[in-house]
Amino acid sequence: MVDLATITPPIALGPLDGRYRAITAPLVNHLSEAALNRARLMVEVEWLIHLTEGRILPGAPVLSEAEKTYLRGVVEDFGAQDIAELASIEAITRHDVKAVEYLLKRRLEAAADAGVAGVGGPTVLPGVGEIVHIFCTSEDINNLAYALTIRSAVEEVWLPAARGLVADLSAMAHQQAQTAMLSRTHGQTATPTTLGKELAVLAHRLGRQLHRVEAAEYLGKINGATGTFGAHVVSVPGVDWQAVARSFVESLGLVWNPLTTQIEPHDWQAELYSDVARFNRITHNLATDVWTYISLGYFRQRLSAQGSTGSSTMPHKVNPIRFENGEANLEISCALLDALASTLVTSRLQRDLTDSTTQRNVGSALGHSLLAIDNVRRGLAGLDVDADRLAEDLDTAWEVLGEPVQQAMRAAAVAGATGMADPYERLKELTRGRTVTPEGMRDFIASLGMPDDVETRLLALTPATYTGIAAQLVDHLEGRPRQSQE
């Protein structure tokens, strides 16, 4: 057989970079190994600029705007050739962050040939190589690079997709706010609701998790080998190194963490991953509920314009594959996010290396979530409500009116009406395990001797009209609940 591992271009091992790459590709710009190295390079460049701008190091030159532009251009232009060169350096160093440091030093040496002008003439960049990575342990670079890439992945890729799902679901909830639907609790017929209200419940739950993710803090530190600024104060005493570190971390748009070991403890990552996992699990609940509604016939699946094959042997089938695919990928995503959240918060003493390989799976965790969100959104977009099927189910469930009749009897008894004794038991005898017809329910109501207004109200009630204020509750999605119950 052909050795598939030797084929060029390389064949992806996992589905996110193979079968589903078109959907998850935007994450490559943030959470791939190349994106991580680009972020590392950016942190090294900005640290060099930060130290020279503040005149923190005695004797360090002041960089011209042209020199700073050149340095930042090294990051902006980081591409295929740089990735290959970095790989060749790392093959020698056997250390990823050290390879980035050496790559940047090569670019400093090349600045003169690039015609970069300094403040007073020729560029000083070839002579500032020793400032690169000064006072830094690898984790000073890594923690900031990860915070930047995870933040950009969440804010620029995952959140827009998640917001799109909530918007789609909210729009559907509003459209179906008035559509009466038979509820099922424990799988049994129960008090009717509206389809829109039930979708709104899920949209509201998802929206709360979105707010949590949107409010996430991304922490960073740059304080040396064990978080003590030890090398800093010995080498350059008299500098307020905490202020330098804080201003640098905040200049990157991150939250400064003043108390760390060699690593930033990753608690913020655990918090973020738990919130994303909770969003996933609610989306999983959405997928299973919609799958069930499709099975009940409440939704019809629209055939795609290109046609589709639902079964290799049963030609009639239109399978709810978008929701099933979503379920599976949400489960994989949650498994990864749970593992990340539980393991990243522990590091032996001042540092162990377990987080190094663990964090490299953040892209996969978010990728499976992104893929699931895409599938669920496409699944929702291909649904039509079968109003006749909903009405049919409601009209065969007159037993659900046992609840309002019972409660009306209780209220009438409190108001002084007679003959209202044992309402629960009487309705139980009428409805439990029995088929209740419209005529049977109305005859029962008429036999109770209710006050005229109550009897009239109950006789007019049907399963389809017994939905309370469900339709109005949908307006809570916009934060504007109606004040009237009309």
Side-chain angles (χ1 to χ4, degrees), residues 93-115:
T93 64
R94 300 295 179 184
H95 193 289
D96 46 9
V97 176
K98 203 66 179 174
V100 171
E101 176 187 342
Y102 288 166
L103 179 71
L104 178 54
K105 287 181 176 179
R106 286 186 182 183
R107 299 297 182 266
L108 292 176
E109 293 168 0
D113 294 337

Side-chain angles (χ1 to χ4, degrees), residues 47 133-144 220-233 235 241-242 244-246 248-249 256-265 350-351:
W47 180 238
H133 204 71
I134 193 168
F135 305 134
C136 291
T137 185
S138 295
E139 267 308 293
D140 286 320
I141 307 303
N142 275 337
N143 88 96
L144 296 171
K221 70 97 181 181
I222 188 161
N223 52 15
T226 58
T228 66
F229 295 98
H232 306 60
V233 298
S235 303
W241 283 108
Q242 290 194 74
V244 172
R246 178 171 189 162
F248 178 64
V249 170
W256 179 57
N257 187 345
L259 286 168
T260 77
T261 59
Q262 183 176 106
I263 68 165
E264 199 289 322
Q350 283 67 54
R351 169 70 161 135

